[in-house]
Amino acid sequence: MATLPDILSRTAANIGMDAGALRPYVEALIAIVAEAHTRNEAVELMTFGTLEAPGTSPPFRAHATLLPSGDGEES
């Protein structure tokens, strides 16, 4: 499993930025998620999906656009 520094480095490289420049944004995101979890709230991760409240199963619900379409259904 990738660690936070791995993800940060890869993301920075993909968008042409220095990983150090992205660190404040990552730290802010982590703080937002932590605060939401202390309030037992879900966190929407833009087009990726929703990180559900702690103790919820499943803990992550993928955005519909990431799911395979059903038989003959259009998305």
Side-chain angles (χ1 to χ4, degrees):
M1 177 183 282
T3 64
L4 182 58
D6 296 330
I7 294 167
L8 184 60
S9 294
R10 292 176 190 170
T11 301
N14 284 337
I15 61 175
M17 289 185 70
D18 178 70
L22 285 181
R23 185 121 192 128
Y25 298 103
V26 171
E27 290 172 355
L29 178 60
I30 290 170
I32 290 166
V33 170
E35 183 178 331
H37 276 192
T38 61
R39 294 191 311 254
N40 204 35
E41 296 175 350
V43 177
E44 184 176 351
L45 301 174
M46 297 172 45
T47 60
F48 295 108
T50 302
L51 184 61
E52 297 293 347
T56 303
S57 184
F60 176 76
R61 186 171 31 91
H63 191 274
T65 59
L66 298 177
L67 301 175
S69 60
D71 295 337
E73 293 180 16
E74 293 183 27
S75 53

